[in-house]
Amino acid sequence: MTRLKVRADFLRASAGIRRVVPSLTLELARSPEKAANAAVRVGFTATKKLGGAVVRNRAKRRLREAAAAVLPLCGRAGNDYVLVARQGTLTRPFEQLKADLVSALNAAHAKQHTPAEGRS
């Protein structure tokens, strides 16, 4: 896995597929052409609405650990994933946090491969 660090990558992912589960929000977008051959790319974010710097950093640490456990198994190369911390990120048991990530990934991948409705 490689990390997303450029703001443009985060903005592209936020315009893609979004799935919300109790402990996190998953944003998914195809990697740009230059990075399409690369491994899974992932970024993490937490808004100030979540709390102070200590709280936001703790939430991002939990998301990083969940992503390290789940994305090598369920992530798909050529995709960028952004994990956005929610209030449940801090309080949810870690196994449930990983289960939430798996369900969000499955739903996002299903949406990604569904043909657009109303198009020929």
Side-chain angles (χ1 to χ4, degrees):
M1 285 189 314
T2 57
R3 292 281 301 272
L4 296 177
K5 294 183 181 183
V6 179
R7 184 172 189 266
D9 290 334
F10 284 86
L11 293 175
R12 191 175 26 71
S14 71
I17 298 169
R18 177 175 290 156
R19 290 291 170 256
V20 178
V21 292
S23 59
L24 60 98
T25 299
L26 172 73
E27 298 171 346
L28 164 69
R30 281 268 182 225
S31 296
E33 295 303 320
K34 64 182 179 203
N37 298 341
V40 172
R41 299 185 339 151
V42 62
F44 306 94
T45 187
T47 65
K48 286 188 178 181
K49 190 178 357 176
L50 195 61
V54 172
V55 172
R56 292 193 313 270
N57 287 334
R58 184 178 329 125
K60 287 189 284 187
R61 277 196 306 272
R62 291 191 63 156
L63 289 177
R64 279 193 297 272
E65 287 301 314
V70 171
L71 283 179
L73 304 172
C74 299
R76 295 183 181 168
N79 285 334
D80 290 347
Y81 301 96
V82 173
L83 302 176
V84 182
R86 294 172 50 95
Q87 203 64 41
T89 305
L90 298 165
T91 58
R92 200 124 165 115
F94 191 68
E95 291 302 316
Q96 287 181 329
L97 179 66
K98 290 193 308 187
D100 285 348
L101 179 55
V102 169
S103 70
L105 283 167
N106 290 337
H109 290 150
K111 173 75 174 175
Q112 187 179 33
H113 294 293
T114 303
E117 294 179 20
R119 292 187 181 173
S120 303

